[in-house]
Amino acid sequence: MLFGLDFSIFAQQIPEFRTSFYFADSAGNRDSVTVGFDRNAYNSADSVDVVFGEKDISSLPFINVLDVRVGYPGCV
């Protein structure tokens, strides 16, 4: 009976395109950021697409070593 249930609502969607950028400073600190595109993604600076694994970290303070973030121009 469980085989007929659709468990896809619990899975993270994979965007049509995604790529990762890796950064390092001269002290050896490293960070990375992944960006992507999907037709079904929200096109707004104040929205987070949880279905694509996005997390809202805008309220978290920047760390002192190396912290790379991506956002829309003018967003804080």
Side-chain angles (χ1 to χ4, degrees), residues 30-47:
R30 294 188 281 179
D31 199 4
S32 64
V33 65
T34 301
V35 296
F37 169 80
D38 194 280
R39 283 181 266 246
N40 297 319
Y42 291 113
N43 190 15
S44 174
D46 61 349
S47 64

Side-chain angles (χ1 to χ4, degrees), residues 26-66:
S26 60
N29 299 307
R30 294 188 281 179
D31 199 4
S32 64
V33 65
T34 301
V35 296
F37 169 80
D38 194 280
R39 283 181 266 246
N40 297 319
Y42 291 113
N43 190 15
S44 174
D46 61 349
S47 64
V48 175
D49 284 313
V50 179
V51 295
F52 294 110
E54 292 182 357
K55 298 175 187 173
D56 184 6
I57 61 170
S58 61
S59 62
L60 297 177
F62 286 94
I63 57 175
N64 292 333
V65 286
L66 179 63

